[in-house]
Amino acid sequence: MRQSQRSTPRFQANPYFSVLGLLVFFAILLMILAQAHSQRIESILYLGRWVPLGLLMSYAVGLWALTRWWEGPAIRRAEGFDIWMLGWIGFAYISFTYSVAPETTVVMATTFLLGYGGVFWGIWHFADRFGEEKVVTLLLWAGAAVIVAGWGELVFGYGSPLQGYGLQSPGYQSSGVFSLGARFRGILENPNALGQLSALISPLILAQGLKTKNFSIYLFLALTMVTLMLTGNRSGIGAAAVASGYVLWKAENVDRRIALTFLLGAIGLGLYGLRGEISSILVRADTLDTASRRVVMWDLFSEYIQNRPLIGHGWGTEDLLHGFYGTNVEALYLRQNVAASSYIGITAQVGLIGAAAFFLPLLWLAGHTALAWQGMSLQLHALNAVLLVGLIVAVTQSWMSSMGHAKALTFWVPVMLLMRRRVTARRAYRKRHSVQNGSTASV
């Protein structure tokens, strides 16, 4: 009886209007909007963005309690990767004992625990109940809302449509929409945030288009790629190119011509939109040798890491290390306090041990899925492509160390779905193996 209840989930007929569906959608959307350039929205979502994640985690905990004590609805059991994640979060908490800012360390570790519970238990259960495609659709809806709103603000925003709020001002007047280095940022504070959001969701849109051959999905793909190019985010463009090539390579027995047409058309449209400003927005040759002065930042953080190489300075302290060591960031003409690389930033916080425990499983998962899982579904490889985008972008951007970053859930939700695929496949294999063994024993 209990098994039949699990196989017939409630709200199956109308999942998008369920409370869980709204929580998943707003968890992703509000996390992105917390980096909006509107100070009012940013102030509201400083704490408000955590409410949907907190409710999803509370739901999962409550469901676990009902299952354990009152034989209520089932939720997944703990897996090996849960031990790894909880162990790593525990290490992040313990780092407060030697942290340069203990209170910050505890708060940042708590946000990671909240993200883990909300995504790997709450949203995982939503996927179990309503299907993986529903989660992907909600994620793409959130991304589409931000991208479309950005274009709406650019065209219909206050002031001149050519100099709308959707552009990051280069510091002086521009004679055209994207001239003189005015990069497209949409409704977000930084064009890199919009660019990397576009890069992260692009493999999922491409896979949807290849599977369904839906014209509207291809139009959304073209809009997303044009948006990415006009942001001038070089790491995002490179990562999206790798991810798109990977998805097309894995798309066996699928007609790729329509997808290639839309991708090439989007590139051409983006270049046309940039026109004579390719060098100032895309290339930015004057910043190539120092990677927009990231090399200077990396040199500074390498010195910090050498002081505490094994266990770091405490989780969540990345942007505080300049002050701790008395470095004058303004005198070095640096625009930010973070390490400008997730790999370097996390190493500075939790040392080589913590960084290895964080990144090596992700790198193994990406490589194992790409090389060993031949003939698997296109959707699985699209999820893996999102993981690849995140790992590539992390080379030049500090964002993985913050669960509250605009890109956090657009990365971790697909990673969760990828892990869920592995767990489901492993359970199916064990079930078949046990059935075969039982049949052999009966003979």
Side-chain angles (χ1 to χ4, degrees):
M1 183 67 180
R2 184 178 177 185
Q3 181 65 31
S4 63
Q5 291 177 350
R6 292 184 189 178
S7 60
T8 311
R10 279 179 266 177
F11 309 116
Q12 182 75 41
N14 200 6
Y16 293 118
F17 293 95
S18 69
V19 175
L20 278 180
L22 290 174
L23 285 178
V24 172
F25 175 75
F26 282 110
I28 299 169
L29 180 63
L30 297 186
M31 198 62 73
I32 300 172
L33 292 180
Q35 202 167 337
H37 58 69
S38 168
Q39 293 183 352
R40 178 176 296 181
I41 294 177
E42 185 179 1
S43 62
I44 293 173
L45 295 183
Y46 180 75
L47 294 176
R49 58 183 161 166
W50 300 105
V51 173
L53 268 182
L55 291 174
L56 284 167
M57 181 176 179
S58 299
Y59 171 77
V61 171
L63 198 60
W64 176 86
L66 290 174
T67 301
R68 183 175 178 84
W69 301 111
W70 297 341
E71 297 299 313
I75 196 169
R76 74 172 181 89
R77 64 175 183 269
E79 302 287 341
F81 68 87
D82 291 303
I83 298 175
W84 163 64
M85 287 185 171
L86 288 173
W88 194 92
I89 293 172
F91 176 69
Y93 269 111
I94 293 173
S95 68
F96 92 94
T97 58
Y98 58 85
S99 173
V100 301
E103 293 182 0
T104 300
T105 295
V106 172
V107 170
M108 293 297 288
T110 301
T111 62
F112 246 77
L113 179 63
L114 189 63
Y116 160 73
V119 172
F120 283 85
W121 288 91
I123 301 181
W124 184 307
H125 180 71
F126 178 84
D128 284 344
R129 192 164 188 173
F130 301 123
E132 176 185 294
E133 289 294 334
K134 302 296 190 299
V135 179
V136 173
T137 300
L138 291 172
L139 189 152
L140 293 181
W141 278 0
V146 174
I147 292 174
V148 172
W151 281 99
E153 184 168 281
L154 175 65
V155 177
F156 302 108
Y158 295 104
S160 169
L162 299 180
Q163 203 61 23
Y165 288 101
L167 297 178
Q168 183 188 55
S169 173
Y172 41 84
Q173 292 298 318
S174 169
S175 59
V177 177
F178 296 104
S179 61
L180 300 179
R183 298 165 60 191
F184 183 42
R185 66 174 180 175
I187 62 174
L188 301 184
E189 185 177 8
N190 192 316
N192 286 337
L194 181 61
Q196 289 155 19
L197 168 66
S198 302
L200 283 166
I201 66 175
S202 61
L204 299 174
I205 307 171
L206 176 57
Q208 291 285 336
L210 288 168
K211 288 188 299 182
T212 64
K213 296 181 173 60
N214 189 303
F215 184 74
S216 60
I217 293 177
Y218 279 123
L219 285 179
F220 180 32
L221 173 64
L223 179 65
T224 302
M225 299 305 290
V226 170
T227 299
L228 172 57
M229 293 190 64
L230 297 183
T231 63
N233 179 240
R234 293 174 295 197
S235 61
I237 293 172
V242 172
S244 298
Y246 170 77
V247 171
L248 290 171
W249 171 47
K250 292 294 185 179
E252 300 176 356
N253 303 319
V254 174
D255 190 348
R256 305 176 179 89
R257 290 175 294 181
I258 299 178
L260 285 171
T261 299
F262 273 86
L263 285 172
L264 294 176
I267 293 173
L269 188 60
L271 293 176
Y272 175 77
L274 293 171
R275 289 192 282 281
E277 303 305 325
I278 294 176
S279 61
S280 62
I281 293 180
L282 280 184
V283 180
R284 306 200 296 277
D286 58 328
T287 66
L288 285 177
D289 57 340
T290 62
S292 297
R293 297 194 64 78
R294 286 181 174 84
V295 173
V296 178
M297 188 70 77
W298 296 340
D299 287 340
L300 288 172
F301 269 83
S302 66
E303 295 178 5
Y304 304 159
I305 292 171
Q306 290 174 19
N307 292 328
R308 296 187 181 183
L310 294 181
I311 57 176
H313 298 77
W315 182 242
T317 60
E318 180 179 353
D319 59 338
L320 305 176
L321 294 185
H322 295 308
F324 179 73
Y325 284 102
T327 303
N328 189 336
V329 178
E330 295 182 358
L332 296 173
Y333 302 101
L334 298 174
R335 296 176 296 176
Q336 54 188 353
N337 292 323
V338 293
S341 171
S342 295
Y343 298 95
I344 295 175
I346 289 180
T347 303
Q349 294 174 83
V350 291
L352 295 172
I353 296 175
F358 186 95
F359 285 109
L360 288 180
L362 293 176
L363 291 168
W364 177 87
L365 177 62
H368 181 76
T369 305
L371 298 178
W373 286 33
Q374 299 297 327
M376 303 303 290
S377 71
L378 181 60
Q379 182 68 25
L380 178 137
H381 290 297
L383 296 171
N384 196 43
V386 177
L387 174 54
L388 291 174
V389 170
L391 292 172
I392 294 172
V393 169
V395 175
T396 59
Q397 297 290 329
S398 289
W399 65 273
M400 279 193 177
S401 58
S402 173
M403 185 56 72
H405 199 280
K407 299 185 289 292
L409 293 190
T410 53
F411 173 78
W412 287 111
V413 170
V415 170
M416 177 274 293
L417 294 176
L418 184 61
M419 289 299 304
R420 179 176 172 273
R421 286 256 184 166
R422 291 183 57 83
V423 169
T424 302
R426 186 164 57 245
R427 287 177 181 172
Y429 171 80
R430 289 173 179 172
K431 185 176 181 179
R432 288 195 305 269
H433 189 67
S434 62
V435 170
Q436 291 173 358
N437 288 343
S439 301
T440 303
S442 63
V443 173

